[in-house]
Amino acid sequence: MALRLYTYWRSSAAYRVRIALNLKSLPYESVPKHLLRDGGEQRKADYLAVNPQGLVPALAHDGCVIPQSLAICEYLEEIQPRPSLLPRAACDRAVVRGMALAIACDTHPLNNLPITGYLRREFGADDAAVQRWIAHWIARGFSGLERWIAALDPAVAPSTRRFCFGTQVTLADVCLVPQMYNARRFEVDLAPYPGLVAVCRHLEAEPAFAAARPEAQPDAE
C-alpha cells in the first residue's frame, strides 16, 4: 500500500512530515483536511474513523495508521533508514531527539489552533493578545534552542551555521524549519536567534525542504 498522508497545508506538524518524506525520497498521496472549513474537516466522522484524535497529520501505510508527527518521522526512519535523520551514537541520537521535542512538545503546541481558539473563546483574547501569546512562547523556545546549538559547537559563528546538530540534516532541523515559518508568519523578532535563522536559511533552499513548504502544497490558499 502506498503512503497516504492526511495533511493541511499550513500545519507545521504536517510540514515536518512532508520534509521527512521528501528527504527519504518516499512518494506519498496527499489527503488534505482543512482545519477551519465547516468547523474543521478533521472533526468529521470519516476522518475520526481514521484518526480518533482528530488531528493532522496522520500517515496510513500497509493497513497501519500512525498519528503524531514525531511518531511518523520515527516510523519513516524504521522503514527507510537512509538517509538517516538521527546520528549514529546513542548520546547524539538522544540530543537530536531532545531538540526535536523542545520544538514539537514545548513550543509548537502553545501556538496552534486549539490553544489560540481557546484563548479567544474562554478569555476574550483579541488578535493582539493572541499575537503576544504566540510570540512569547516561540521566543522562549527559540532562546533555549539557540543557546543549545551554540554550546554544542561554540567555535562556529552563528551566521555560518548550517544544521542544528553535526554536519547533516537531522530530526531537529526537520522540526525547526516549520517552527521558523510560524515565527515569521506571526512576526516574531528573530534578531536574538542568528544561529537558528542561519540554519533555516540554508535548509529552506534545499529541494526536500522547498517542496514541503506550505505554499507549495496542492491545498494551499
Side-chain angles (χ1 to χ4, degrees), residues 17-37:
V17 175
R18 295 195 299 263
I19 294 170
L21 286 161
N22 293 344
L23 286 167
K24 291 178 175 292
S25 300
L26 288 168
Y28 64 95
E29 175 192 359
S30 179
V31 184
K33 293 294 174 184
H34 200 291
L35 300 187
L36 298 172
R37 185 181 298 138

Side-chain angles (χ1 to χ4, degrees), residues 52-111:
Q53 279 193 299
L55 301 172
V56 298
L59 184 78
H61 184 228
D62 284 345
C64 179
V65 176
I66 304 104
Q68 295 292 335
S69 62
L70 291 190
I72 295 171
C73 290
E74 293 277 2
Y75 177 75
L76 298 178
E77 188 77 359
E78 295 285 343
I79 66 170
Q80 182 83 329
R82 297 289 179 267
S84 180
L85 299 177
L86 295 167
R88 292 179 63 87
C91 179
D92 293 345
R93 294 164 80 89
V95 168
V96 166
R97 285 186 172 113
M99 289 180 171
L101 289 167
I103 297 168
C105 297
D106 293 345
T107 307
H108 166 244
L110 289 161
N111 50 79

Side-chain angles (χ1 to χ4, degrees), residues 111 131 134-135 138-139 142 176-190 193:
N111 50 79
Q131 183 87 2
I134 291 171
I138 292 178
F142 275 9
L176 173 62
V177 167
Q179 192 59 50
M180 185 64 73
Y181 177 92
N182 285 346
R184 295 188 188 113
R185 177 185 168 202
F186 293 109
E187 300 178 348
V188 175
D189 179 13
L190 298 175
Y193 323 113

Side-chain angles (χ1 to χ4, degrees), residues 5-21 28 35 56-58 68-69 72-73 108 174 178 212 214 217 219:
L5 178 66
Y6 296 88
T7 182
Y8 176 61
W9 69 284
R10 209 156 60 180
S11 161
S12 53
Y15 190 175
R16 293 172 204 143
V17 175
R18 295 195 299 263
I19 294 170
L21 286 161
Y28 64 95
L35 300 187
V56 298
Q68 295 292 335
S69 62
I72 295 171
C73 290
H108 166 244
V174 169
Q217 303 318 300
D219 58 323

Side-chain angles (χ1 to χ4, degrees), residues 121-182:
R121 291 191 310 273
E122 300 298 324
F123 300 101
D126 59 12
D127 288 347
V130 170
Q131 183 87 2
R132 289 197 304 274
W133 169 276
I134 291 171
H136 170 79
W137 292 110
I138 292 178
R140 179 170 173 172
F142 275 9
S143 294
L145 192 57
E146 178 77 17
R147 291 191 298 269
W148 196 348
I149 67 170
L152 287 171
D153 197 350
V156 176
S159 62
T160 65
R161 242 173 239 291
R162 296 295 176 263
F163 307 100
C164 287
F165 184 93
T167 58
Q168 65 183 44
V169 174
T170 67
L171 188 59
D173 302 305
V174 169
C175 291
L176 173 62
V177 167
Q179 192 59 50
M180 185 64 73
Y181 177 92
N182 285 346

